[in-house]
mmCIF file with all atom_site columns, all heavy atoms in Angstrom:
data_model
loop_
_atom_site.group_PDB
_atom_site.id
_atom_site.type_symbol
_atom_site.label_atom_id
_atom_site.label_alt_id
_atom_site.label_comp_id
_atom_site.label_asym_id
_atom_site.label_entity_id
_atom_site.label_seq_id
_atom_site.pdbx_PDB_ins_code
_atom_site.Cartn_x
_atom_site.Cartn_y
_atom_site.Cartn_z
_atom_site.occupancy
_atom_site.B_iso_or_equiv
_atom_site.pdbx_formal_charge
_atom_site.auth_seq_id
_atom_site.auth_comp_id
_atom_site.auth_asym_id
_atom_site.auth_atom_id
_atom_site.pdbx_PDB_model_num
ATOM 1   N N   . GLU A 1 212 ? 84.931 62.108 78.311 1.00 0.00 ? 1676 GLU A N   1
ATOM 2   C CA  . GLU A 1 212 ? 86.017 62.558 77.452 1.00 0.00 ? 1676 GLU A CA  1
ATOM 3   C C   . GLU A 1 212 ? 85.458 62.952 76.093 1.00 0.00 ? 1676 GLU A C   1
ATOM 4   O O   . GLU A 1 212 ? 84.263 62.751 75.820 1.00 0.00 ? 1676 GLU A O   1
ATOM 5   C CB  . GLU A 1 212 ? 87.083 61.459 77.297 1.00 0.00 ? 1676 GLU A CB  1
ATOM 6   C CG  . GLU A 1 212 ? 86.558 60.175 76.712 1.00 0.00 ? 1676 GLU A CG  1
ATOM 7   C CD  . GLU A 1 212 ? 87.545 59.018 76.804 1.00 0.00 ? 1676 GLU A CD  1
ATOM 8   O OE1 . GLU A 1 212 ? 88.359 58.993 77.762 1.00 0.00 ? 1676 GLU A OE1 1
ATOM 9   O OE2 . GLU A 1 212 ? 87.511 58.132 75.933 1.00 0.00 ? 1676 GLU A OE2 1
ATOM 10  N N   . ALA A 1 213 ? 86.309 63.534 75.252 1.00 0.00 ? 1677 ALA A N   1
ATOM 11  C CA  . ALA A 1 213 ? 85.862 63.988 73.935 1.00 0.00 ? 1677 ALA A CA  1
ATOM 12  C C   . ALA A 1 213 ? 85.385 62.810 73.086 1.00 0.00 ? 1677 ALA A C   1
ATOM 13  O O   . ALA A 1 213 ? 85.917 61.701 73.179 1.00 0.00 ? 1677 ALA A O   1
ATOM 14  C CB  . ALA A 1 213 ? 86.998 64.712 73.222 1.00 0.00 ? 1677 ALA A CB  1
ATOM 15  N N   . PHE A 1 214 ? 84.368 63.079 72.268 1.00 0.00 ? 1678 PHE A N   1
ATOM 16  C CA  . PHE A 1 214 ? 83.810 62.053 71.379 1.00 0.00 ? 1678 PHE A CA  1
ATOM 17  C C   . PHE A 1 214 ? 83.715 62.642 69.976 1.00 0.00 ? 1678 PHE A C   1
ATOM 18  O O   . PHE A 1 214 ? 82.651 63.128 69.565 1.00 0.00 ? 1678 PHE A O   1
ATOM 19  C CB  . PHE A 1 214 ? 82.440 61.610 71.891 1.00 0.00 ? 1678 PHE A CB  1
ATOM 20  C CG  . PHE A 1 214 ? 81.830 60.467 71.116 1.00 0.00 ? 1678 PHE A CG  1
ATOM 21  C CD1 . PHE A 1 214 ? 82.570 59.360 70.754 1.00 0.00 ? 1678 PHE A CD1 1
ATOM 22  C CD2 . PHE A 1 214 ? 80.482 60.506 70.746 1.00 0.00 ? 1678 PHE A CD2 1
ATOM 23  C CE1 . PHE A 1 214 ? 82.002 58.313 70.036 1.00 0.00 ? 1678 PHE A CE1 1
ATOM 24  C CE2 . PHE A 1 214 ? 79.909 59.465 70.033 1.00 0.00 ? 1678 PHE A CE2 1
ATOM 25  C CZ  . PHE A 1 214 ? 80.680 58.367 69.681 1.00 0.00 ? 1678 PHE A CZ  1
ATOM 26  N N   . PRO A 1 215 ? 84.828 62.638 69.235 1.00 0.00 ? 1679 PRO A N   1
ATOM 27  C CA  . PRO A 1 215 ? 84.834 63.278 67.917 1.00 0.00 ? 1679 PRO A CA  1
ATOM 28  C C   . PRO A 1 215 ? 83.972 62.531 66.907 1.00 0.00 ? 1679 PRO A C   1
ATOM 29  O O   . PRO A 1 215 ? 83.737 61.316 67.051 1.00 0.00 ? 1679 PRO A O   1
ATOM 30  C CB  . PRO A 1 215 ? 86.312 63.230 67.515 1.00 0.00 ? 1679 PRO A CB  1
ATOM 31  C CG  . PRO A 1 215 ? 86.877 62.067 68.276 1.00 0.00 ? 1679 PRO A CG  1
ATOM 32  C CD  . PRO A 1 215 ? 86.125 62.039 69.578 1.00 0.00 ? 1679 PRO A CD  1
ATOM 33  N N   . PRO A 1 216 ? 83.473 63.223 65.887 1.00 0.00 ? 1680 PRO A N   1
ATOM 34  C CA  . PRO A 1 216 ? 82.658 62.573 64.849 1.00 0.00 ? 1680 PRO A CA  1
ATOM 35  C C   . PRO A 1 216 ? 83.353 61.397 64.184 1.00 0.00 ? 1680 PRO A C   1
ATOM 36  O O   . PRO A 1 216 ? 82.704 60.428 63.786 1.00 0.00 ? 1680 PRO A O   1
ATOM 37  C CB  . PRO A 1 216 ? 82.392 63.707 63.853 1.00 0.00 ? 1680 PRO A CB  1
ATOM 38  C CG  . PRO A 1 216 ? 82.491 64.951 64.666 1.00 0.00 ? 1680 PRO A CG  1
ATOM 39  C CD  . PRO A 1 216 ? 83.555 64.680 65.687 1.00 0.00 ? 1680 PRO A CD  1
ATOM 40  N N   . SER A 1 217 ? 84.676 61.463 64.061 1.00 0.00 ? 1681 SER A N   1
ATOM 41  C CA  . SER A 1 217 ? 85.413 60.360 63.424 1.00 0.00 ? 1681 SER A CA  1
ATOM 42  C C   . SER A 1 217 ? 85.254 59.068 64.221 1.00 0.00 ? 1681 SER A C   1
ATOM 43  O O   . SER A 1 217 ? 85.086 57.983 63.635 1.00 0.00 ? 1681 SER A O   1
ATOM 44  C CB  . SER A 1 217 ? 86.893 60.711 63.291 1.00 0.00 ? 1681 SER A CB  1
ATOM 45  O OG  . SER A 1 217 ? 87.451 61.007 64.566 1.00 0.00 ? 1681 SER A OG  1
ATOM 46  N N   . LEU A 1 218 ? 85.283 59.158 65.544 1.00 0.00 ? 1682 LEU A N   1
ATOM 47  C CA  . LEU A 1 218 ? 85.115 57.964 66.380 1.00 0.00 ? 1682 LEU A CA  1
ATOM 48  C C   . LEU A 1 218 ? 83.657 57.509 66.368 1.00 0.00 ? 1682 LEU A C   1
ATOM 49  O O   . LEU A 1 218 ? 83.379 56.305 66.343 1.00 0.00 ? 1682 LEU A O   1
ATOM 50  C CB  . LEU A 1 218 ? 85.580 58.249 67.804 1.00 0.00 ? 1682 LEU A CB  1
ATOM 51  C CG  . LEU A 1 218 ? 85.578 57.066 68.776 1.00 0.00 ? 1682 LEU A CG  1
ATOM 52  C CD1 . LEU A 1 218 ? 86.350 55.882 68.208 1.00 0.00 ? 1682 LEU A CD1 1
ATOM 53  C CD2 . LEU A 1 218 ? 86.141 57.475 70.133 1.00 0.00 ? 1682 LEU A CD2 1
ATOM 54  N N   . ARG A 1 219 ? 82.737 58.459 66.377 1.00 0.00 ? 1683 ARG A N   1
ATOM 55  C CA  . ARG A 1 219 ? 81.311 58.119 66.262 1.00 0.00 ? 1683 ARG A CA  1
ATOM 56  C C   . ARG A 1 219 ? 81.065 57.310 64.988 1.00 0.00 ? 1683 ARG A C   1
ATOM 57  O O   . ARG A 1 219 ? 80.370 56.285 65.013 1.00 0.00 ? 1683 ARG A O   1
ATOM 58  C CB  . ARG A 1 219 ? 80.485 59.402 66.228 1.00 0.00 ? 1683 ARG A CB  1
ATOM 59  C CG  . ARG A 1 219 ? 78.997 59.206 66.000 1.00 0.00 ? 1683 ARG A CG  1
ATOM 60  C CD  . ARG A 1 219 ? 78.361 60.493 65.532 1.00 0.00 ? 1683 ARG A CD  1
ATOM 61  N NE  . ARG A 1 219 ? 78.831 60.866 64.200 1.00 0.00 ? 1683 ARG A NE  1
ATOM 62  C CZ  . ARG A 1 219 ? 78.708 62.089 63.676 1.00 0.00 ? 1683 ARG A CZ  1
ATOM 63  N NH1 . ARG A 1 219 ? 78.188 63.068 64.382 1.00 0.00 ? 1683 ARG A NH1 1
ATOM 64  N NH2 . ARG A 1 219 ? 79.140 62.325 62.446 1.00 0.00 ? 1683 ARG A NH2 1
ATOM 65  N N   . ASP A 1 220 ? 81.660 57.754 63.880 1.00 0.00 ? 1684 ASP A N   1
ATOM 66  C CA  . ASP A 1 220 ? 81.490 57.053 62.607 1.00 0.00 ? 1684 ASP A CA  1
ATOM 67  C C   . ASP A 1 220 ? 82.186 55.701 62.620 1.00 0.00 ? 1684 ASP A C   1
ATOM 68  O O   . ASP A 1 220 ? 81.722 54.744 61.982 1.00 0.00 ? 1684 ASP A O   1
ATOM 69  C CB  . ASP A 1 220 ? 82.016 57.912 61.453 1.00 0.00 ? 1684 ASP A CB  1
ATOM 70  C CG  . ASP A 1 220 ? 81.203 59.187 61.257 1.00 0.00 ? 1684 ASP A CG  1
ATOM 71  O OD1 . ASP A 1 220 ? 80.063 59.240 61.757 1.00 0.00 ? 1684 ASP A OD1 1
ATOM 72  O OD2 . ASP A 1 220 ? 81.708 60.121 60.613 1.00 0.00 ? 1684 ASP A OD2 1
ATOM 73  N N   . TRP A 1 221 ? 83.298 55.604 63.345 1.00 0.00 ? 1685 TRP A N   1
ATOM 74  C CA  . TRP A 1 221 ? 84.024 54.332 63.465 1.00 0.00 ? 1685 TRP A CA  1
ATOM 75  C C   . TRP A 1 221 ? 83.125 53.289 64.131 1.00 0.00 ? 1685 TRP A C   1
ATOM 76  O O   . TRP A 1 221 ? 83.068 52.136 63.678 1.00 0.00 ? 1685 TRP A O   1
ATOM 77  C CB  . TRP A 1 221 ? 85.304 54.552 64.282 1.00 0.00 ? 1685 TRP A CB  1
ATOM 78  C CG  . TRP A 1 221 ? 86.259 53.402 64.315 1.00 0.00 ? 1685 TRP A CG  1
ATOM 79  C CD1 . TRP A 1 221 ? 87.253 53.122 63.424 1.00 0.00 ? 1685 TRP A CD1 1
ATOM 80  C CD2 . TRP A 1 221 ? 86.323 52.368 65.325 1.00 0.00 ? 1685 TRP A CD2 1
ATOM 81  N NE1 . TRP A 1 221 ? 87.932 51.986 63.806 1.00 0.00 ? 1685 TRP A NE1 1
ATOM 82  C CE2 . TRP A 1 221 ? 87.377 51.503 64.965 1.00 0.00 ? 1685 TRP A CE2 1
ATOM 83  C CE3 . TRP A 1 221 ? 85.584 52.089 66.468 1.00 0.00 ? 1685 TRP A CE3 1
ATOM 84  C CZ2 . TRP A 1 221 ? 87.724 50.391 65.722 1.00 0.00 ? 1685 TRP A CZ2 1
ATOM 85  C CZ3 . TRP A 1 221 ? 85.925 50.979 67.224 1.00 0.00 ? 1685 TRP A CZ3 1
ATOM 86  C CH2 . TRP A 1 221 ? 86.973 50.141 66.860 1.00 0.00 ? 1685 TRP A CH2 1
ATOM 87  N N   . PHE A 1 222 ? 82.423 53.690 65.182 1.00 0.00 ? 1686 PHE A N   1
ATOM 88  C CA  . PHE A 1 222 ? 81.491 52.765 65.835 1.00 0.00 ? 1686 PHE A CA  1
ATOM 89  C C   . PHE A 1 222 ? 80.323 52.427 64.910 1.00 0.00 ? 1686 PHE A C   1
ATOM 90  O O   . PHE A 1 222 ? 79.877 51.272 64.849 1.00 0.00 ? 1686 PHE A O   1
ATOM 91  C CB  . PHE A 1 222 ? 80.960 53.376 67.138 1.00 0.00 ? 1686 PHE A CB  1
ATOM 92  C CG  . PHE A 1 222 ? 81.973 53.461 68.243 1.00 0.00 ? 1686 PHE A CG  1
ATOM 93  C CD1 . PHE A 1 222 ? 82.172 54.652 68.938 1.00 0.00 ? 1686 PHE A CD1 1
ATOM 94  C CD2 . PHE A 1 222 ? 82.725 52.354 68.601 1.00 0.00 ? 1686 PHE A CD2 1
ATOM 95  C CE1 . PHE A 1 222 ? 83.095 54.735 69.957 1.00 0.00 ? 1686 PHE A CE1 1
ATOM 96  C CE2 . PHE A 1 222 ? 83.665 52.419 69.625 1.00 0.00 ? 1686 PHE A CE2 1
ATOM 97  C CZ  . PHE A 1 222 ? 83.858 53.624 70.294 1.00 0.00 ? 1686 PHE A CZ  1
ATOM 98  N N   . LEU A 1 223 ? 79.840 53.431 64.200 1.00 0.00 ? 1687 LEU A N   1
ATOM 99  C CA  . LEU A 1 223 ? 78.704 53.219 63.311 1.00 0.00 ? 1687 LEU A CA  1
ATOM 100 C C   . LEU A 1 223 ? 79.034 52.188 62.235 1.00 0.00 ? 1687 LEU A C   1
ATOM 101 O O   . LEU A 1 223 ? 78.195 51.340 61.888 1.00 0.00 ? 1687 LEU A O   1
ATOM 102 C CB  . LEU A 1 223 ? 78.289 54.543 62.668 1.00 0.00 ? 1687 LEU A CB  1
ATOM 103 C CG  . LEU A 1 223 ? 76.935 54.586 61.962 1.00 0.00 ? 1687 LEU A CG  1
ATOM 104 C CD1 . LEU A 1 223 ? 75.818 54.252 62.937 1.00 0.00 ? 1687 LEU A CD1 1
ATOM 105 C CD2 . LEU A 1 223 ? 76.703 55.961 61.345 1.00 0.00 ? 1687 LEU A CD2 1
#
Side-chain angles (χ1 to χ4, degrees):
E1676 59 191 30
F1678 185 45
S1681 58
L1682 185 53
R1683 175 199 67 197
D1684 294 342
W1685 189 87
F1686 289 130
L1687 194 60

